[in-house]
Each structure stands twice: as structure tokens, then as C-alpha cells.
């Protein structure tokens, strides 16, 4: 069911996924208005959508997601909210209070604003990390939403995203002032790649520093299935359409969905090589040291950083959680999203790879120049 005539809100609008989702909404739907919500919005961020906006009004709402009054203004009159904004922290460099404030408190305040302002649909952008991998590195192959997996999340980012997801799903069915009810769902994308991915840029910069040799931090057999940003955006649109459809709303509401596509399963390190080998990069054959020794080294670094915490905040370049994530086979199916949301990858693997490589090729000269100065 189309969203034609609706007013939509996208938080994290200036981020990697947020920008792609907004462009997709403008290209695929005839909305009355899209509201760009972010902590900082530049004029060029709004103008960048000029070529595809049509008659849709694009308005910027710059503010803090922890500000309830700001969120109420942003949600007033909207029918659908896409909550994409969060702090992504893979190395433990962000204080827990900041992570919890944005990822959990911000989500709760946004849900409250949606309820107060009669927003009918709420789509939460979660992450595969709310499931794991667990500290033991137990693998999952082609998992589904019914897969049973024991995991006590210890890493701050994973914990806050899990709590925010739970609050989002719990809000499903909340009674609104106008007598209708809020419908919510959560999407759990795999590692998202594509044009604008800062993690790919970071790995490319590391490779340039290492004389065009990419670092290997993943075992070859630790396969995951990344998802292209264009397909992740399409999953959000399909979720919104499903929540608007009276025949699907009660099925989708309150549920989470894994979002992947047809990107071939591969380890994180080898995925970097797949994307950058056409640009002249090779990759190390083996890990810098046996995996067990790397875990010990990470543990020692974490102990040192903890001891020094009262005096100086140091962040180790690698931690045990990240090392486990990089070396655990963890793949998932998108079949339930396909069956219930109507999701299907919009871009083939060949198209996604080509677009990403072309974007990286365009960024490479600037990366080299920056590192040389």
C-alpha cells in the first residue's frame, strides 16, 4: 500500500542510511512532506534532494533527540516515523551515559511524542548486534527470526540497541488520543555497505597506510552476509507500507525482521578485499597472530585502559567483543521480511558491488592526499 499523501519523519536524516531512505521515499512515493530530523543539518543536506523531491515538501528539523518538546514538534501531523538515528560505537569510545541517552532515552521520548501526536506507524532501525554473536562465538548459519540463540549482551552499544528495540516493540498497540493505535516494528539489518559507508573508507585508509595491503582481522571461514544500503532502505519503505495496510498491520506490528539481500556470504575482511581489489589493494593472508593470542592481547589492553580510566580515557584499537564479531560465522535469511513485508532486494549483488566500487574509486584520491599531508 502506497504512502501517497502522507507526512513522514526520518530521524538520523543526514546519516548514511537516512539519506538513502529519504531519496527512496521521494522517488517512490508522492508524500505531502518529509521531515529531516538530525542534530545538525546543513543547507546542502536539504538541497541535495532537489532533483527528486517533486511536489513533496522537505523540511529540516535540527535538534537533540533527547529533547521531548522538539520531538513533539517534529512529529506533529506525521503518519509515519522512521527512527534511524543512533550512536554507532564499535570500539567502546563513547561513554555509556551518552550511548544510553541517545539510543535508549531518545527512542523512548520519540515513542512518547508519536503517541501524543497520533502518529500511526513507527519503524525502528535496529541491528544484528542485538542478537550477538555471544562471547563464546557460537555461529549462526542462515538464521531466522525463530532461531534460538543464548546471548547475554555485555557490549554497551549492543545493550542500548537491544533495549531501544524492546521498547519500540512493546509500544505496539498503544492507544492514541484520537482513538486509533500505534503500530511498530523493528528491522535488524546486517552490516550495511554502499556509497557513503564510513567503515569502508576507514579500512581503505588503513590499507593505503599499509602500502595498499588490507589488514586481515577475520578468519576466512567467519562468513557474514552484509546488506547493500539501497536494499536496507527499501526494507524500511516496505515496512511502512505494510504497517499502513489494514490486512498486514496486525501481522507486522510488534515484530522484528532480519534484513539481508543476495550479497554472497564472506568474512568482513574478505568483503573489504572484494570491494577494493579492483582498486589495486591486496590483503594479508593470515591474522597478525593466532586468534587465541589476539583475545589475550585484547584482554590485557582492556585491563590497562580500565586501570588508567580514573586518570585518562584510553580506547584500545581492538576489543574482545569486536574480535568475536569479526570472527564468528553469522548469517541470516530475509525470508520473513519477504513474506510479511513484501520486501525484495531492489539491487542485485552485481549492481551493489559496482556502485560501491565506483564510489570508493572516487574517494581514493582524496584519502591518499589526506594521508600524505
Amino acid at each position: 500500500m502506497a504512502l501517497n499523501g502522507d507526512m513522514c519523519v526520518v530521524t538520523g536524516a543526514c546519516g548514511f542510511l537516512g539519506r538513502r531512505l529519504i531519496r527512496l521515499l521521494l522517488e517512490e512515493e508522492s508524500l505531502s512532506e518529509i521531515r529531516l530530523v538530525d542534530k545538525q543539518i546543513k543547507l546542502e543536506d536539504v538541497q541535495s534532494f532537489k532533483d527528486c523531491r517533486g511536489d513533496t515538501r522537505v523540511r529540516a528539523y535540527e535538534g537533540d533527540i533527547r529533547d521531548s518538546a522538539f520531538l513533539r514538534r517534529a512529529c506533529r501531523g506525521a503518519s509515519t516515523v522512521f527512527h534511524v538515528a543512533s550512536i554507532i560505537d564499535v570500539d567502546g569510545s563513547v561513554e555509556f551515559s551518552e550511548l544510553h541517552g541517545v539510543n535508549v532515552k531518545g527512542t523512548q521520548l520519540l515513542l512518547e511524542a508519536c503517541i501524543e501526536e497520533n502518529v500511526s506507524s513507527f519503524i525502528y532501525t535496529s541491528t544484528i548486534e542485538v542478537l550477538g554473536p555471544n562471547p563464546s562465538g557460537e555461529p549462526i548459519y542462515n538464521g531466522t527470526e525463530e532461531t534460538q540463540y543464548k546471548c547475554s549482551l555485555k557490549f554497551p552499544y549492543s545493550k542500548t540497541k537491544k533495549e531501544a528495540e524492546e521498547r519500540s516493540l512493546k509500544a505496539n498497540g498503544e492507544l492514541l488520543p484520537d482513538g486509533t493505535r500505534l503500530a511498530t516494528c523493528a528491522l535488524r539489518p546486517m552490516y550495511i555497505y554502499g556509497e557513503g559507508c564510513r567503515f569502508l573508507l576507514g579500512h581503505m585508509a588503513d590499507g593505503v597506510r599499509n602500502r595498499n595491503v588490507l589488514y586481515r582481522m577475520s578468519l576466512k571461514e567467519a562468513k557474514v552476509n552484509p546488506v547493500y544500503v539501497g536494499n536496507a532502505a527499501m526494507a524500511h519503505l516496505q515496512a511502512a507500507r505494510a504497517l499502513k495496510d489494514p490486512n498486514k498491520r496486525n501481522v507486522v506490528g510488534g515484530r522484528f525482521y532480519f534484513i539481508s539481500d543476495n550479497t554472497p556470504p564472506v568474512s568482513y575482511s574478505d568483503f573489504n578485499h572484494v570491494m577494493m581489489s579492483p582498486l589495486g589493494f591486496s590483503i594479508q593472508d593470515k591474522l597478525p597472530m593466532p586468534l587465541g593470542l589476539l583475545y589475550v592481547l585484547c584482554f590485557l589492553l582492556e585491563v590497562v585502559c580500565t586501570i588508567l580510566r580514573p586518570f585518562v580515557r584510553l580506547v584500545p584499537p581492538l576489543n574482545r567483543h569486536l574480535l568475536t564479531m569479526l570472527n564468528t560465522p553469522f548469517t541470516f535469511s530475509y525470508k520473513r521480511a519477504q513474506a510479511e513485508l513484501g520486501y525484495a532486494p531492489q539491487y542485485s549483488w552485481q549492481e551493489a558491488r559496482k556502485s560501491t566500487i565506483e564510489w570508493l574509486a572516487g574517494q581514493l584520491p582524496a584519502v591518499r592526499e589526506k594521508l600524505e599531508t
Side-chain angles (χ1 to χ4, degrees), residues 108-354:
Q108 182 62 44
L109 290 175
L110 183 59
L111 286 165
E112 292 171 3
C114 288
I115 293 170
E116 292 167 352
E117 298 299 332
N118 293 306
V119 174
S120 60
S121 300
F122 182 94
I123 296 96
Y124 176 68
T125 307
S126 188
T127 169
I128 189 61
E129 289 190 54
V130 302
L131 184 63
N134 59 29
S136 300
E138 295 180 71
I140 292 180
Y141 301 97
N142 203 34
T144 69
E145 288 77 1
E146 286 74 35
T147 298
Q148 298 298 309
Y149 188 74
K150 292 183 179 181
C151 184
S152 55
L153 298 173
K154 297 182 179 180
F155 197 63
Y157 171 66
S158 306
K159 289 173 65 176
T160 58
K161 290 294 287 185
K162 178 64 173 178
E163 185 175 350
E165 180 189 275
E166 289 174 344
R167 294 191 183 204
S168 298
L169 298 181
K170 186 178 179 181
N172 182 67
E174 284 284 341
L175 184 65
L176 305 179
D178 64 3
T180 61
R181 293 187 181 275
L182 174 67
T184 70
C185 71
L187 305 183
R188 295 180 178 178
M190 309 298 109
Y191 166 68
I192 304 176
Y193 70 93
E195 308 93 302
C197 178
R198 62 186 175 93
F199 295 111
L200 281 174
L201 277 182
H203 292 308
M204 186 166 69
D206 289 340
V208 171
R209 293 188 191 95
N210 196 37
R211 298 182 179 181
N212 295 336
V213 179
L214 299 171
Y215 292 103
R216 175 173 293 283
M217 297 307 299
S218 305
L219 296 170
K220 293 181 180 180
E221 59 267 27
K223 294 183 178 182
V224 295
N225 53 335
V227 60
Y228 180 59
V229 64
N231 292 328
M234 176 54 72
H236 283 72
L237 174 55
Q238 288 301 112
R241 288 171 172 170
L243 288 179
K244 187 176 180 180
D245 187 339
N247 296 319
K248 295 183 177 181
R249 187 176 177 86
N250 292 333
V251 174
V252 175
R255 305 192 77 167
F256 68 85
Y257 297 87
F258 292 120
I259 304 300
S260 57
D261 57 18
N262 299 321
T263 300
V266 65
S267 78
Y268 284 106
S269 293
D270 288 299
F271 179 77
N272 294 335
H273 187 227
V274 167
M275 289 298 170
M276 298 178 208
S277 58
L279 307 182
F281 288 86
S282 59
I283 188 172
Q284 295 172 338
D285 291 331
K286 300 179 180 179
L287 297 175
M289 63 180 72
L291 189 57
L293 287 180
L294 274 175
Y295 275 108
V296 173
L297 177 61
C298 287
F299 172 72
L300 293 175
L301 287 173
E302 290 170 30
V303 169
V304 170
C305 291
T306 301
I307 293 173
L308 295 176
R309 180 64 57 85
F311 312 101
V312 61
R313 180 175 174 80
L314 298 177
V315 179
L318 186 66
N319 57 62
R320 285 172 292 168
H321 170 81
L322 181 56
L323 188 61
T324 300
M325 185 179 73
L326 293 174
N327 288 281
T328 301
F330 222 54
T331 60
F332 292 84
S333 167
Y334 63 83
K335 296 304 180 185
R336 190 162 93 174
Q338 185 177 43
E340 297 182 4
L341 302 181
Y343 163 71
Q346 184 180 28
Y347 299 90
S348 69
W349 159 238
Q350 291 76 15
E351 291 171 323
R353 181 172 182 263
K354 181 175 182 292

Side-chain angles (χ1 to χ4, degrees), residues 98-114:
E98 181 75 4
L99 272 175
H100 192 274
V102 172
N103 293 355
V104 179
K105 182 181 178 182
T107 299
Q108 182 62 44
L109 290 175
L110 183 59
L111 286 165
E112 292 171 3
C114 288

Side-chain angles (χ1 to χ4, degrees), residues 35-98:
R35 293 177 178 175
L36 283 56
V37 175
D38 215 315
K39 61 182 178 180
Q40 186 176 10
I41 303 177
K42 299 176 182 178
L43 180 60
E44 52 263 36
D45 291 324
V46 180
Q47 292 178 334
S48 66
F49 301 111
K50 188 176 182 179
D51 64 313
C52 60
R53 70 172 59 176
D55 295 326
T56 301
R57 184 178 183 183
V58 178
R59 295 183 62 188
Y61 281 72
E62 184 176 288
D64 195 322
I65 198 165
R66 293 164 290 190
D67 182 341
S68 57
F70 162 71
L71 293 176
R72 285 198 62 175
R73 290 195 302 273
C75 292
R76 193 159 295 147
S79 57
T80 300
V81 167
F82 297 92
H83 183 29
V84 182
S86 71
I87 295 178
I88 300 175
D89 179 35
V90 298
D91 58 7
S93 61
V94 182
E95 291 285 358
F96 183 77
S97 59
E98 181 75 4

